[in-house]
Amino acid sequence: MLSRKHKLFIWKIISLFSVVRGYNIPIIALAQYLSAIFILAPEQRALSILLDFRLFIIVLCSSLTIASGYIINSFYDSKKDLINRPNKSQLDRLVSQKTKLQVYFSLNLFVALIAFFVSFRAVLFYSAYIFLIWFYSHKIKRYPLIGNLMAAFLAVLPFFGILLYYYLKMPLYEIESNSGKLAVILSHGAFLFLLILIREMIKDLENLKGDFANDYKTIPIIYGEETAKKIITVLTILTVLPVYFLINVYDVGYMDIYFYFGFIVLIFFLLYLWKWQTKEQYVMLHNVLKFLIVSGVFCIVLINPSVLWHGKKVLMTI
């Protein structure tokens, strides 16, 4: 039997895992690798990408920076979360605010150090990323629309880190010949940005009570729920633009199946958005968007599904 001290230690580890949302980190890392294999460097062997040490460092830096971002966000939102997420908040509070800050600074220092293995530009990129996440958590997230926009921007920024890693190594003539890949990743990024922005707006609706109590100036609080729903509707309609280019202009293989499925889901999402009004119902809509985002990560393999059933050919030297 474990002693009380050991049980408390285990619960603190679980609490810290909850704070950094450890269940999200592997998905983010997977999304970066799949983007590299299927979009940015499809001509390279998958094994060479998986064994690329500097790419591994970039993915690790992104994952740890996002984890530290969740920590600082939890630090500033501790009072609000007691109202909006009482169960999760009680678990998160098993780790003291002091410990959270210690882990936060340790992770950021580690990121800055290992980024040197890639380049000095990588150090600058992740230093700026760390600062922007802190600035968002400390100040920007309290303001309407700009807080939502910045949250969505910060969520997609790691993918531009991967993009820069590949494109900064290319001479100018190769960048021009690879402009199609750049357009595909930017279109994917735009679609993901819009989905995350919509999700942030839904979070404002579900967190209305806690945001109001802690003086957060969100759109539902200032302009009302109906206005927030109108903005969400417009943003949902705007997802048509990047998807049109991905399906009709660029080659995304069988991933167009995912986009057609996503459209059907978003139609029902809008119908229920205007029908539902309670926190629990908004949480369900939030989870629908989360499902779309996560499933989109796994569906990247549909760009070239032969990787799945001809894995040996792709992974090994031909």
Side-chain angles (χ1 to χ4, degrees), residues 134-163:
W134 169 81
F135 189 57
Y136 162 76
S137 300
H138 176 60
K139 187 71 67 175
I140 299 300
K141 72 178 303 180
R142 291 178 174 268
Y143 297 101
L145 193 57
I146 187 173
N148 304 110
L149 288 168
M150 191 167 182
F153 171 73
L154 292 173
V156 300
L157 197 57
F159 297 97
F160 288 97
I162 298 288
L163 182 69

Side-chain angles (χ1 to χ4, degrees), residues 288-308:
V288 167
L289 292 172
K290 187 180 292 186
F291 168 76
L292 264 185
I293 293 168
V294 174
S295 61
V297 170
F298 290 98
C299 285
I300 291 175
V301 301
L302 294 176
I303 293 175
N304 182 15
S306 64
V307 170
L308 298 178

Side-chain angles (χ1 to χ4, degrees), residues 110-147:
F110 183 66
V111 166
L113 291 175
I114 64 175
F116 273 108
F117 286 103
V118 179
S119 67
F120 183 66
R121 282 180 295 199
V123 177
L124 294 178
F125 177 85
Y126 283 104
S127 296
Y129 191 25
I130 289 166
F131 170 77
L132 287 173
I133 290 175
W134 169 81
F135 189 57
Y136 162 76
S137 300
H138 176 60
K139 187 71 67 175
I140 299 300
K141 72 178 303 180
R142 291 178 174 268
Y143 297 101
L145 193 57
I146 187 173

Side-chain angles (χ1 to χ4, degrees), residues 45-58:
R45 291 182 304 137
L47 185 61
S48 65
I49 294 174
L50 294 173
L51 297 180
D52 186 334
F53 177 71
R54 296 207 298 172
L55 179 60
F56 168 75
I57 293 297
I58 287 177

Side-chain angles (χ1 to χ4, degrees), residues 165-267:
Y165 171 68
Y166 280 101
Y167 275 78
L168 288 177
K169 295 189 298 182
M170 294 181 184
L172 184 60
Y173 71 90
E174 283 193 26
I175 293 177
E176 292 176 352
S177 64
N178 284 275
S179 59
K181 297 177 189 175
L182 177 62
V184 170
I185 198 71
L186 290 176
S187 297
H188 272 277
F191 179 69
L192 180 61
F193 175 84
L194 287 170
L195 282 186
I196 294 173
L197 182 56
I198 295 165
R199 192 188 69 169
E200 290 297 319
M201 298 283 293
I202 291 293
K203 284 168 64 177
D204 286 344
L205 288 171
E206 68 182 77
N207 296 335
L208 197 58
K209 187 182 295 185
D211 288 347
F212 181 79
N214 288 274
D215 199 32
Y216 280 59
K217 302 293 190 295
T218 62
I219 288 173
I221 289 174
I222 297 177
Y223 303 107
E225 292 186 47
E226 184 175 344
T227 299
K229 289 183 179 183
K230 288 179 181 178
I231 295 174
I232 291 170
T233 302
V234 171
L235 292 173
T236 304
I237 294 171
L238 285 177
T239 60
V240 172
L241 294 176
V243 170
Y244 170 80
F245 285 100
L246 287 168
I247 292 176
N248 295 292
V249 179
Y250 309 118
D251 182 14
V252 291
Y254 292 101
M255 197 178 177
D256 55 358
I257 297 171
Y258 162 77
F259 292 118
Y260 288 127
F261 170 76
F263 269 133
I264 296 171
V265 172
L266 288 174
I267 289 170

